[in-house]
Amino acid sequence: MIMDLYFRLLLLPVIFEVVMGTGYDCYDTNILINATVDPQVIRSPDFPLGYANNVSCKVLVKAPTDGHVLHVQIVYMQLNNWNSSCDDRVIAYDGNSSDASELHTWCGADKMATSTSGDSLFLVFETDDFLTDSGFVLRFWEDVSTTCSPGYSSHLRIMDTPVLLTIPGMPLHDGQKCAYQLRTADDRRILLTLTNWGETSPRGCENTRLQMYEDTSPDSQLTIDWRHPVHPFSRVITTCTNLTINFTATTPTTTNTTTSTTTLAPLCNFTLVATSISNNFGNDVADLQEVRTSPSYIWYSGQSQGQMKLVSRDITKTVRLDVIGASCNPDCFTVTQDSPDGKQLDGTVSDNTTTYRSTGPIIFISNFTNQSEDKLLLRMTSLDGACNGGVEKVKAGTDAAVTSMLDLTACKYNGYYIYNITADHADHIVNLKLTRNLFNATSPDKECNHSYINIYDGNPHSRLLLKWCWKRTPHITVTGNKSYLTFVVATSHGDFPGPLTVTHFALLSESMCKPDLVDLKASADVTKYISSPNFPGPYSVNNDCTWRISAPRINYVVLVNMVECDLPNDCSDLVYVINGLYPTGKTSVRLCGQDRRHFRSVGAFLILRFTSNSFDNRSGFKIAYSTEHSTGGQRTQGGPPVGSIAGACIAISIVAGVIYVCIHEQRKRHKQAKQEIEGGTL
C-alpha cells in the first residue's frame, strides 16, 4: 500500500503537466493535428482515470515546416496487456494512413520513442472488450531528422525541446560507426535518458557498442563503453556543454555460401532522448538527483562547491555511489547519509573506484574543497539493502558440516553482498566450501574483473585469502587462520554465480598444519610417528604438510609403515611418498582411502607430503617411521652419519674451489710475464 501511494505521488507531476497543458484527448474517430516545434500531447480518454472498452481512435499528425519530421516520446504508458496479448495498443505508422509502414506498436508499459521519415504520422488507439488500465500520454513535435547516418556524425544543438536520438533503421556493417555530437548553451548542461535497451532486440545489444565522451575531442575521457544486453544506464548528465555518442557495429556480417547472400547482424533497439538543463548550483540548495536501479552517470564539477542530494526512486531501497577515477578521495568532499550533517560514510577503494553504500534511501555529497578535481564522474544506483553491503552472519558448527543455499538473483546487478561465518570458540578455524550451480556463458566478463567473490581471513579489510572467478572453476575450498571468515559477492552486468551452495564447519586450529618443511631424523632404536593434523580428530581442508625424514647414516634407508589410514576413497585427500631430498622429486606412491602399505626408501632421505581438499571430516592417518641398514638389519655401526657425509662433501667442495683459484691465478701471472718478455719490456 505504501509503495503504491509512493508511485502515485511520483505520477502527480506528469498528470498535472498533461492535464493542464496543451493536448488532445483521443475520443474522436478521426483527429487532424498540425505539429509545432513546441511539444504537444495526445492522451487516452479520461486519463488518468482509465479508458473504456472497444475504443477506436485515429489521429493524423502533420509537420507543416518543410524538411521537418515528427518525433514521438512516451510520457506515460500503462495499457492492459493480459497474457501478453497486446489487445489494447497504440500503433504508429510512418505516413498518413494505416497502409504506411509500421513504426512501432505500444502496449503494456512500453516507452519506446520513435521518429517518422517524412512529414506525416498516423496513430491508431484501439482496445478490446476485456480489461482496461490508466491509459497513455504521448508527446510529439516537429523538427529536423536526428537519425545518424552510417559513417557520419550528426551535429545537434540541444535546447529546451527534447531531441530524440535514433540509430539507423538498417543494420551496420562490422566496424561501421555512426555518431552524435551534442552541444548546448554555455550556462546549461545536457541530460541524456535511455529506455527500452534491448527489450525488443536483446541479441542486437551484443552487436552494438555504445561509447560516450564528455566533450568533442577524441582525447576526452570515456564515460561509458558498453556492449551487453543489460541496461547500461538510465541517465547521463554532463558538467560541460558537449557530449559525443558513438554507435559501432561489432559483429561481422555472415555470408551464406550456398546462396551467396550476405546477412547483416541486427543492432540494439533503444530510446535516447537529449534535453538541456540548468547549470545553476548553489551552496544552500542541493542539486537533487533521482537514483534508479539502472545506473545514472553524472559528471560533477568540484569547482561548483555545491551539494548534491541523491534519492532512491524506491524509498525502500538504498543508494550506492561510485566515484570513478578521483585521486583526491576522500579529501575533496564528504558523503553523508540522510542529511548534510548526517552519518559520514566511508568509501572502499577497488579498481580506481571509491564506493559508498548507504543503509537508507538518501545520500548527500557536500563540502567540496579546492583539492577537488575539475570533474568527478559519479555513478549512482538504487539497490536492496541486502545487496548494498548487507551482512548475513552465520555460526559454523563443530559437530558436522552445515550446508545451505544462497540465492543471489536479487543482487545480480551492481550488488555487494557480505557473508560472515564465525566459529563459537577463538581456538577454532572455519572451513568453507563454495559451489556454483549455474554458469552465465554469455557474460563478457570472462576474467571476473567486475563480478567476483573475495574470501577474507576475517572481515573484508583483512588479508585476502582468495579471489574466486566462478566462471573458471565450479567450486573452491578455503581455510583461514582466524575464528571467522568473510566472503563478499560483487556483481555487475547481471553476472552472478546463481544459487551458491555454502558448506562450512569449525575445527581446532591444530587441524591445520604449518606450511613449512619439517625435518625429522629416523632412529633404528626407536619407532617414531607422523600423523595428520589434529589426529585422531578431523583435519581441515587446504592442508599442505611436508615432512623430510633422514636416515642417521649414508648407507641406511628410511622405513615407513601406514598404521592407520582414514582418507577419502576418491583420493581428494592424499599422502605422497617421494624418494629423495626435495619435495619436488618424482612421486613414488600415493596413499588414500584405507591403504596401509609400508615402504622402504631408495636412499637416505624420504619425503612425505599430505594435501587435503575434501569436506568429509575424516580422522586422517598415522604413519610409523624408523631406519635400517641398506643391506637389512638394524646395524648402527660401519657407516658414517648422513650429517658427517654432507659436511665432508661441503668441505671437499670448498677445498677444491680454493685449489682451483690458486692454480688459475698462477697461470695468469705466468702468461703475463711471458707477454712482457716477448715484448722486450725486460
Side-chain angles (χ1 to χ4, degrees), residues 646-662:
C649 290
I650 295 173
I652 291 171
S653 299
I654 294 174
V655 172
V658 172
I659 293 173
Y660 172 79
V661 171
C662 292

Side-chain angles (χ1 to χ4, degrees), residues 290-357:
E290 181 187 74
V291 184
R292 306 182 182 186
T293 53
S294 180
S296 294
Y297 290 80
I298 297 181
W299 278 104
Y300 203 77
S301 174
Q303 297 176 349
S304 66
Q305 301 292 311
Q307 292 181 354
M308 179 178 288
K309 181 180 181 180
L310 313 180
V311 181
S312 172
R313 186 175 189 271
D314 185 341
I315 59 175
T316 65
K317 295 183 181 291
T318 61
V319 177
R320 167 176 170 167
L321 170 66
D322 296 315
V323 183
I324 303 173
S327 59
C328 62
N329 271 4
D331 300 325
C332 52
F333 57 86
T334 59
V335 180
T336 56
Q337 182 169 296
D338 298 332
S339 69
D341 300 324
K343 176 185 176 183
Q344 186 167 336
L345 301 178
D346 296 325
T348 57
V349 181
S350 177
D351 296 330
N352 200 32
T353 299
T354 304
T355 301
Y356 300 87
R357 299 178 178 87

Side-chain angles (χ1 to χ4, degrees), residues 512-663:
M512 196 75 180
C513 68
K514 303 298 182 183
D516 304 323
L517 173 66
V518 179
D519 277 301
L520 303 172
K521 292 187 179 298
S523 171
D525 302 321
V526 179
T527 300
K528 301 179 181 180
Y529 296 92
I530 298 171
S531 61
S532 56
N534 199 40
F535 182 85
Y539 50 84
S540 290
V541 298
N542 287 358
N543 268 299
D544 194 344
C545 321
T546 306
W547 302 271
R548 179 166 55 199
I549 309 172
S550 60
R553 297 179 184 275
I554 195 62
N555 55 352
Y556 273 63
V557 294
V558 178
L559 304 176
V560 295
N561 180 32
M562 182 68 80
V563 179
E564 296 184 38
C565 188
D566 180 25
L567 299 175
N569 293 323
D570 63 359
C571 294
S572 52
D573 301 339
L574 277 171
V575 176
Y576 300 87
V577 181
I578 304 168
N579 275 296
L581 187 61
Y582 303 105
T584 54
K586 183 178 180 181
T587 300
S588 300
V589 179
R590 291 177 173 86
L591 302 174
C592 59
Q594 282 72 46
D595 197 337
R596 295 190 178 184
R597 286 181 285 173
H598 59 274
F599 301 94
R600 190 172 188 265
S601 68
V602 175
F605 298 95
L606 188 71
I607 299 290
L608 296 178
R609 183 185 175 196
F610 171 59
T611 61
S612 61
N613 295 291
S614 73
F615 258 60
D616 287 355
N617 274 357
R618 301 281 184 147
S619 59
F621 62 87
K622 183 178 182 180
I623 294 176
Y625 66 94
S626 59
T627 185
E628 70 174 13
H629 194 272
S630 58
T631 60
Q634 294 186 349
R635 292 180 291 172
T636 58
Q637 302 297 325
V642 171
S644 299
I645 293 296
C649 290
I650 295 173
I652 291 171
S653 299
I654 294 174
V655 172
V658 172
I659 293 173
Y660 172 79
V661 171
C662 292
I663 294 174

Side-chain angles (χ1 to χ4, degrees), residues 173-193:
H173 292 276
D174 180 44
Q176 197 170 25
K177 179 189 297 185
C178 70
Y180 285 108
Q181 290 189 0
L182 311 181
R183 182 176 178 83
T184 188
D186 292 339
D187 60 342
R188 302 184 70 80
R189 294 178 291 167
I190 297 174
L191 167 62
L192 192 70
T193 59

Side-chain angles (χ1 to χ4, degrees), residues 11 19 48 78 154 200 225 251 281 305 322 396 433 487 527 666:
L11 187 60
V19 171
Q78 193 60 57
S154 297
T200 57
D225 190 349
T251 299
F281 298 108
Q305 301 292 311
D322 296 315
K433 180 178 182 179
F487 70 87
T527 300
Q666 184 178 2

Side-chain angles (χ1 to χ4, degrees), residues 132-159:
T132 64
D133 214 315
S134 53
F136 71 88
V137 179
L138 181 149
R139 179 187 283 129
F140 64 94
W141 65 96
E142 68 161 351
D143 205 340
V144 296
S145 176
T146 57
T147 299
C148 66
S149 303
Y152 296 93
S153 295
S154 297
H155 297 260
L156 301 176
R157 180 84 170 175
I158 309 300
M159 302 304 290

